[in-house]
Amino acid sequence: MPVGSLPTMEPIVELRNVTKRYGEHAALDDFSLQVRRGEFLTLLGPSGSGKTTILRLIAGFEQPQAGEILIEGRDAQNLPPYRRNVNTVFQHYALFPHLSVRRNVAFGLEQKKLSGPEIRKRVGTALEMVGLLGKEERMTNELSGGEKQRVALARALVLEPAVLLLDEPLGALDQKLRHEMQVELKRLREWVGITFIFVTHDQEEALVMSDRIAVIHQGRLAQAASGEEIYEQPATRFVAEFMGVENFFEAAAGETTALARQFETAEGWVFWAANSSHLPPATRAVVAVRPEALDLWTSPPEPKPMNLVEGRIVEAIYEGGRRRWSVEIAGGKRLVVRGSNPDSSALTRGATVFVGWDPRSTLVYPGE
Ligand code: ADP
Ligand code: MG
């Protein structure tokens, strides 16, 4: 098939080399990202990394000092917020407290001077979508947190935007309600087919909800990929740490076989890594392994895994369904191991243990 006849997948929102400064401080620094039509994209990063700034730029509440923002293929520079076909749901609802649920949701449509019957129809559909039918006449200051957030969602959805921006919308809810709303938001997205750009600092929430995750670090894009890829193959040490990888060691690259490369730490341990072809030979590196990827034995296992170290348990914590062990190895360094192990009763403080893992689980980053 000639290239020209391939279907084009034009991004619905695109940021190109965007820089946004507040005074001297760059909240976003040469930031680029494409959001695909219809996807659920999550911006994930610690507090202060620039997530809200990204949403405010897309919504048109802020202007960048450099770079371009395109919405549905058009340069948005001269588009005021109300002409961007984008709507925002904030963490703190921003509802009218003394208006009914119905009036809160209808407000945007009344501003647009839609006809009475049209407004009633659209408000009804939006309230059905968020599960608020029957609560139309309640005042919003009489609602629970979860219900308020549903009103805020309905109010954004009723305007039928192409893109919905959600800034930590579940942040104020308790854990149980939060899980319920996560499932509902996913279901809702499938129903309406609107593009969702969702902000959170919670990596588990990002994994549960997203088609794709963009990890933000100090105003820059650290990695954009599926949740699985970000979890299994974090692109940088920062992403790895943010996604729960705990065991980091400085090491020098050594012998290479067809399947793996050796790394030697300052303490003299040798780790094998299967995925290090991106590093030049004889280089300094940081090797890491996720606590869940480590196996524990009370006697040397057979067959012996390529990575195996002996140590002593210095801490054992029951986390509910799984355990977390801290294992001290030669030189005083520790490995954190997490999982459910049939030998748990023998894996207590002071026990001598063997820790092993597959070279494919060793993550390798350039040395600092
Ligand atoms: P996040 O949403 O990831 O927590 P923000 O986008 O709110 O991060 O902020 C990114 C950085 O920009 C932070 O260092 C923050 O202090 C700064 N910042 C955000 N808004 C303003 C503002 N209006 N004035 C000055 N600094 C700001
Ligand atoms: Mg924020």
Side-chain angles (χ1 to χ4, degrees):
M1 191 173 11
V3 173
S5 66
L6 285 172
T8 55
M9 261 296 279
E10 182 187 90
I12 192 160
V13 174
E14 185 174 4
L15 288 88
R16 287 189 187 155
N17 309 100
V18 167
T19 295
K20 173 66 189 174
R21 276 183 229 94
Y22 294 105
E24 291 289 286
H25 175 74
L28 289 179
D29 186 9
D30 196 23
F31 183 90
S32 298
L33 178 69
Q34 295 190 344
V35 183
R36 299 167 190 158
R37 189 178 287 276
E39 78 174 329
F40 196 120
L41 177 96
T42 295
L43 303 174
L44 173 67
S47 173
S49 55
K51 305 179 300 294
T52 294
T53 302
I54 295 168
L55 294 193
R56 292 180 60 81
L57 286 164
I58 295 170
F61 303 140
E62 302 278 358
Q63 293 295 328
Q65 279 89 10
E68 287 172 286
I69 296 167
L70 289 92
I71 298 174
E72 300 187 288
R74 284 204 300 167
D75 185 348
Q77 192 177 2
N78 296 314
L79 284 181
Y82 62 89
R83 288 191 49 215
R84 290 193 178 201
N85 208 6
V86 162
N87 253 300
T88 309
V89 177
F90 302 96
Q91 180 176 344
H92 297 292
Y93 325 127
L95 302 175
F96 302 111
H98 301 296
L99 290 187
S100 67
V101 168
R102 183 198 303 284
R103 291 293 312 283
N104 264 277
V105 177
F107 185 81
L109 300 177
E110 288 166 1
Q111 296 295 103
K112 286 189 162 185
K113 307 247 183 310
L114 265 63
S115 73
E118 175 71 11
I119 292 176
R120 267 194 297 284
K121 186 169 136 245
R122 281 171 63 171
V123 169
T125 307
L127 290 175
E128 186 191 349
M129 280 180 184
V130 301
L132 279 179
L133 284 183
K135 299 202 168 144
E136 294 88 340
E137 304 314 325
R138 291 273 203 86
M139 297 297 129
T140 55
N141 58 1
E142 298 168 355
L143 300 175
S144 69
E147 288 169 336
K148 282 183 186 158
Q149 197 50 280
R150 287 167 202 267
V151 178
L153 258 175
R155 195 178 50 173
L157 287 168
V158 82
L159 298 167
E160 300 176 357
V163 182
L164 195 60
L165 308 175
L166 301 113
D167 197 354
E168 312 222 17
L170 312 182
L173 307 180
D174 65 45
Q175 206 184 24
K176 182 165 174 287
L177 197 53
R178 201 178 164 113
H179 286 306
E180 273 172 39
M181 288 294 287
Q182 287 173 355
V183 174
E184 285 206 33
L185 268 181
K186 274 183 79 156
R187 183 186 54 85
L188 193 64
R189 202 289 308 264
E190 280 151 25
W191 187 354
V192 295
I194 294 174
T195 306
F196 277 38
I197 306 179
F198 179 89
V199 163
T200 183
H201 61 267
D202 180 326
Q203 77 271 42
E204 211 175 291
E205 182 162 283
L207 288 169
V208 169
M209 317 249 338
S210 320
D211 297 322
R212 224 152 49 97
I213 299 174
V215 183
I216 319 295
H217 180 213
Q218 295 179 343
R220 289 169 171 270
L221 181 67
Q223 185 172 11
S226 70
E228 199 168 325
E229 191 174 335
I230 286 188
Y231 189 89
E232 306 277 344
Q233 294 298 323
T236 66
R237 178 178 179 157
F238 169 80
V239 178
E241 285 188 67
F242 201 69
M243 298 308 288
V245 178
E246 285 193 64
N247 302 298
F248 291 87
F249 296 93
E250 287 188 28
E255 180 195 336
T256 305
T257 71
L259 291 177
R261 195 194 298 191
Q262 236 178 35
F263 289 85
E264 189 173 343
T265 73
E267 295 82 1
W269 311 319
V270 169
F271 290 175
W272 287 94
N275 311 301
S276 68
S277 50
H278 59 292
L279 281 188
T283 191
R284 291 213 59 78
V286 172
V287 295
V289 62
R290 190 173 267 294
E292 295 89 325
L294 299 174
D295 288 315
L296 266 188
W297 296 273
T298 48
S299 55
E302 279 304 331
K304 190 168 158 294
M306 274 179 95
N307 290 313
L308 187 69
V309 288
E310 188 178 337
R312 193 172 51 86
I313 294 178
V314 291
E315 193 176 60
I317 296 172
Y318 181 61
E319 293 184 324
R322 61 182 190 184
R323 281 165 208 273
R324 176 191 169 91
W325 295 275
S326 202
V327 178
E328 192 169 288
I329 40 184
K333 279 262 195 177
R334 288 180 180 188
L335 280 171
V336 175
V337 183
R338 178 181 277 134
S340 52
N341 190 301
D343 280 347
S344 289
S345 59
L347 296 171
T348 51
R349 248 178 87 172
T352 294
V353 288
F354 297 83
V355 183
W357 70 96
D358 191 298
R360 282 170 300 186
S361 297
T362 312
L363 302 167
V364 181
Y365 301 103
E368 273 116 46

